Amino acid sequence: MERITGIDVIWFGHTPMPSPVKDGNTRWLDTSVFLEEGGLSIAELTTDGRVWHLRNADGKIVQGWHSTDR
């Protein structure tokens, strides 16, 4: 994904991802808490904010973004 210029960070939801995704200056936070294989994600809404993802399947809490940055 290309970086979107003139903006620090853009947050997206309503597009379910298996884990929180960081790509350029975009952050994808919808992790399908309503699905059995999904989970709940919480993020600090800052440029370099941390994220936590509680997976429904095993109850494990995972910290960190899945990064697609190259």
Side-chain angles (χ1 to χ4, degrees):
M1 173 174 272
E2 294 182 33
R3 182 171 182 81
I4 300 170
T5 60
I7 297 175
D8 293 332
V9 174
I10 300 171
W11 296 90
F12 292 97
H14 296 288
T15 303
M17 302 286 178
S19 63
V21 174
K22 174 183 175 184
D23 187 353
N25 62 343
T26 63
R27 308 293 182 268
W28 302 82
L29 197 56
D30 185 341
T31 50
S32 308
V33 70
F34 59 91
L35 298 174
E36 185 175 329
E37 67 275 3
L40 176 66
S41 293
I42 301 170
E44 296 175 332
L45 302 182
T46 63
T47 304
D48 295 318
R50 295 175 295 173
V51 66
W52 297 266
H53 176 64
L54 172 62
R55 297 189 311 211
N56 290 343
D58 59 11
K60 183 176 180 182
I61 297 175
V62 179
Q63 184 175 352
W65 294 96
H66 173 82
S67 181
T68 60
D69 292 340
R70 291 162 189 72

